[in-house]
Amino acid sequence: MTARIGVVTFPGSLDDRDTQRAIRLAGAEPVALWHKDKDLKQVDAVVLPGGFSYGDYLRAGAISRFSPVMETVIEQARAGMPVLGICNGFQVLTEAHLLPGGMLGNDHLHFICRDQKLRVENAETAWTVDYEAGQEIHIPLKNMDGRYVADRYTLDKLEAEGRVVFRYLDFNPNGSLNDIAGITNEVGNVVGLMPHPEHAVEPLIGSGRTDGLPFFTSILKKLVNA
């Protein structure tokens, strides 16, 4: 039976179609989910894609967090459903308190778009089992509000529990504390990161690399073995 992975579209989402394509390339069935619909259509996992939901008004991800679909996503995530938040989706996850900390504007106050080198710190989450801990990858990055922040207690807890999933290498593009590019919740089913793995799944499109494809093959492996 083919795994079904939902991709939520908010007003201002930019990368929902790209994410659906990445899911399809990995061998799963992408399912379009609309932000006003609480029904998740019996999907096995959910991706909150990148973009500028609601124009990033008020604060990035703050309005989307109250979309009807998020009520169900929050409920299901807490029950164990795998959820991935990419860029704006990561911001939504922090606003929904599915992940700790928050996102602020880049420390240089400019939008940034580049191919970013990362180190995989945790290869045991639902979305990273096809990577190896310590593996270095390149994933495209594009954001304006990508600076991950948290209080010292939260940062120490994330580090001690191995919940930093990705870390920026060579260059910190937005001033994120501890060079954090992505984190997970306590049980590893919810992951958020700022770079865009859906733009690195085919050698002829996007970055020209396929370093992002294991995100989507990882979740298939996790669902099959669940």
Side-chain angles (χ1 to χ4, degrees):
M1 184 175 179
T2 303
R4 290 163 51 84
I5 302 178
V7 181
V8 179
T9 298
F10 299 99
S13 293
L14 299 179
D15 300 299
D16 43 349
R17 296 294 182 89
D18 302 70
T19 303
Q20 291 176 25
R21 180 174 177 80
I23 290 167
R24 191 175 293 109
L25 285 171
E29 178 187 351
V31 179
L33 301 175
W34 184 236
H35 72 111
K36 286 188 176 182
D37 190 354
K38 292 184 180 181
D39 182 8
L40 297 185
K41 302 180 181 179
Q42 298 182 317
V43 298
D44 302 298
V46 170
V47 180
L48 306 180
F52 298 89
S53 60
Y54 289 94
D56 280 350
Y57 293 126
L58 181 62
R59 187 174 58 247
I63 300 176
S64 294
R65 176 261 179 272
F66 293 102
S67 289
V69 72
M70 286 304 299
E71 181 179 328
T72 314
V73 170
I74 292 169
E75 175 185 304
Q76 292 300 309
R78 289 174 175 165
M81 174 181 280
V83 177
L84 174 66
I86 302 170
C87 195
N88 189 230
F90 186 10
Q91 295 160 345
V92 175
L93 290 177
T94 62
E95 292 289 340
H97 304 297
L98 287 174
L99 292 175
M103 313 301 298
L104 296 178
N106 298 340
D107 59 352
H108 45 74
L109 304 181
H110 295 285
F111 180 84
I112 188 168
C113 182
R114 55 173 281 136
D115 195 20
Q116 178 66 47
K117 188 176 182 181
L118 306 174
R119 182 172 62 238
V120 180
E121 303 282 29
N122 183 337
E124 298 179 3
T125 78
W127 300 92
T128 57
V129 293
D130 267 352
Y131 290 109
E132 295 181 4
Q135 184 177 349
E136 296 182 3
I137 61 176
H138 289 79
I139 302 289
L141 174 87
K142 51 178 186 177
N143 63 68
M144 181 68 190
D145 298 290
R147 178 162 49 117
Y148 180 76
V149 296
D151 58 64
R152 178 49 56 186
Y153 172 80
T154 299
L155 287 173
D156 290 345
K157 185 174 170 59
L158 289 172
E159 297 286 2
E161 296 178 355
R163 290 168 53 195
V164 175
V165 182
F166 297 96
R167 211 180 300 270
Y168 297 118
L169 287 185
D170 298 343
F171 173 73
N172 185 324
N174 43 40
S176 290
L177 298 179
N178 291 20
D179 297 327
I180 290 174
I183 60 174
T184 185
N185 64 345
E186 292 89 341
V187 295
N189 66 305
V190 179
V191 170
L193 79 161
M194 288 310 296
H196 287 259
E198 77 279 9
H199 294 325
V201 295
E202 294 182 280
L204 296 179
I205 297 176
S207 69
R209 299 173 181 268
T210 59
D211 291 3
L213 190 59
F215 274 88
F216 307 100
T217 57
S218 290
I219 189 58
L220 291 187
K221 182 177 293 186
K222 194 71 174 181
L223 291 170
V224 168
N225 295 329

